[in-house]
Amino acid sequence: QVYHVPSGETSRHLLGEVIKSSPNVSQPFFLHSFAMSENYVIICEVPGLVQWQEFPMNHTFMSELGTLWHVLSRATGEKVAEFKTTPAFFMYHHANAYEETVNGKTEIVVDVVSYPNMDSLSAMFLDQILNHPERLMNSFGDGGLHRFRLPLGEVGSNVKGRQIGPCMEFPTIYYEKYNTIKHRYVYGGSLKKGESLFLDRLVKTDVETGHVKYYIEPDVYPGEALFVPSPNSKAEDDGLILSVVLDMSKKHSKLLILNASTFEKIATADLSYAIPFGFHGKYY
């Protein structure tokens, strides 16, 4: 089910719902996030089952079913389109979605961090991170930023994605200005497969040119990269990147501040203690 909170209200209202596409599967599929363009809500139905009540947790990835895209109208909640991607992919986070007219037809462009399987899910348990960190890093290293185009005039078609960025997670953009409209830059945490034991670098990807910039500091492990625009900024990357990082050389955390354009360090604000890793944050 998809809910919305109308402007000026504090209670949620049901907008629309998606009926599970595989009636022979009794459990709901894995869903972590959804995307939204100016006129549509996009739900990515990953064919993965998770037995949350079991420990250790088990999961099943049914690649043969494909990954389904459900498109709902933001105005009415009505489902207006459905697409499939085969072979299936797994994902946690969307970077952004927007609408674009191509040859007189509307396409929804969706940027997601996708993986060929869901091995990373069970590898995120604490005992796995402590005893087999290579499992998580290898599974994350198989992913990357991918772009999918959903042609609204060709409902039911099989859509293929193309990789537009490197391995990354927790993708962010200049959200306040570019959410639901065409963006150029995506920021996130990254690693080097076969070398890193955790997310150990920040990354900036130019999705128009494919150019990638990294910020790497020895023994420093970053959190989510948050973009803060400069006052009266005109360029999309005119601002700062904030990330709470763990500095293992000093055994404490600090706030790392980068120039979002050059991706070079401007300053740090050290803490006297370590902050446990989180997932998502916000700048106000």
Side-chain angles (χ1 to χ4, degrees):
Q1 293 180 323
V2 178
Y3 289 85
H4 69 130
V5 179
S7 178
E9 298 187 21
T10 57
S11 59
R12 68 178 188 174
H13 300 266
L14 179 65
L15 176 65
E17 58 184 348
V18 173
I19 305 301
K20 186 161 58 68
S21 60
S22 300
N24 295 328
V25 180
S26 59
Q27 295 176 267
F29 286 136
F30 179 91
L31 177 65
H32 181 70
S33 64
F34 66 92
M36 194 165 62
S37 67
E38 184 178 1
N39 296 294
Y40 302 100
V41 173
I42 303 98
I43 297 176
C44 186
E45 184 183 355
V46 174
L49 294 176
V50 181
Q51 286 74 47
W52 299 103
Q53 71 277 14
E54 297 181 7
F55 189 84
M57 181 191 70
N58 291 313
H59 60 73
T60 304
F61 187 62
M62 294 174 286
S63 178
E64 69 280 2
L65 296 180
T67 296
L68 290 181
W69 302 87
H70 305 277
V71 181
L72 279 66
S73 166
R74 289 180 61 180
T76 66
E78 177 187 3
K79 182 175 175 179
V80 298
E82 178 180 303
F83 305 91
K84 178 182 283 190
T85 295
T86 54
F89 66 87
F90 180 75
M91 57 86 64
Y92 298 102
H93 299 113
H94 303 77
N96 196 19
Y98 59 90
E99 296 154 37
E100 194 168 65
T101 301
V102 179
N103 297 324
K105 298 180 180 180
T106 301
E107 294 184 348
I108 302 175
V109 181
V110 189
D111 289 354
V112 305
V113 178
S114 67
Y115 304 89
N117 53 56
M118 60 189 302
D119 291 351
S120 59
L121 197 61
S122 58
M124 279 193 284
F125 274 80
L126 183 59
D127 67 314
Q128 293 295 312
I129 293 176
L130 292 176
N131 299 309
H132 303 285
E134 72 283 352
R135 283 195 59 204
L136 181 59
M137 294 306 100
N138 285 338
S139 56
F140 274 150
D142 288 334
L145 185 65
H146 287 76
R147 172 164 291 178
F148 295 84
R149 307 186 73 96
L150 312 181
L152 291 182
E154 302 174 25
V155 174
S157 60
N158 186 19
V159 297
K160 300 291 186 181
R162 66 180 180 88
Q163 189 162 354
I164 59 171
C167 155
M168 65 160 55
E169 253 308 338
F170 310 118
T172 60
I173 60 171
Y174 181 173
Y175 186 86
E176 289 77 8
K177 187 173 182 179
Y178 291 92
N179 179 42
T180 76
I181 65 175
K182 188 175 182 178
H183 62 283
R184 180 172 179 176
Y185 300 109
V186 180
Y187 311 92
S190 186
L191 58 89
K192 185 173 182 180
K193 185 176 180 180
E195 178 179 308
S196 306
L197 291 180
F198 210 72
L199 296 177
D200 60 2
R201 62 201 69 195
L202 292 171
V203 61
K204 173 187 178 181
T205 298
D206 183 333
V207 299
E208 289 187 3
T209 67
H211 183 64
V212 175
K213 291 181 179 180
Y214 290 100
Y215 176 82
I216 306 173
E217 190 175 334
D219 297 321
V220 168
Y221 300 90
E224 189 178 39
L226 301 178
F227 178 83
V228 182
S230 298
N232 304 313
S233 64
K234 292 183 171 56
E236 184 179 335
D237 60 349
D238 181 7
L240 303 175
I241 293 296
L242 305 182
S243 182
V244 177
V245 305
L246 176 63
D247 187 338
M248 286 300 296
S249 66
K250 299 179 180 178
K251 308 297 183 184
H252 67 207
S253 298
K254 61 185 179 184
L255 177 65
L256 174 66
I257 305 171
L258 304 181
N259 180 311
S261 178
T262 65
F263 230 52
E264 296 175 349
K265 181 167 67 175
I266 294 177
T268 57
D270 285 33
L271 298 171
S272 60
Y273 51 88
I275 298 177
F277 281 113
F279 293 105
H280 306 297
K282 193 75 180 76
Y283 168 80
Y284 297 97

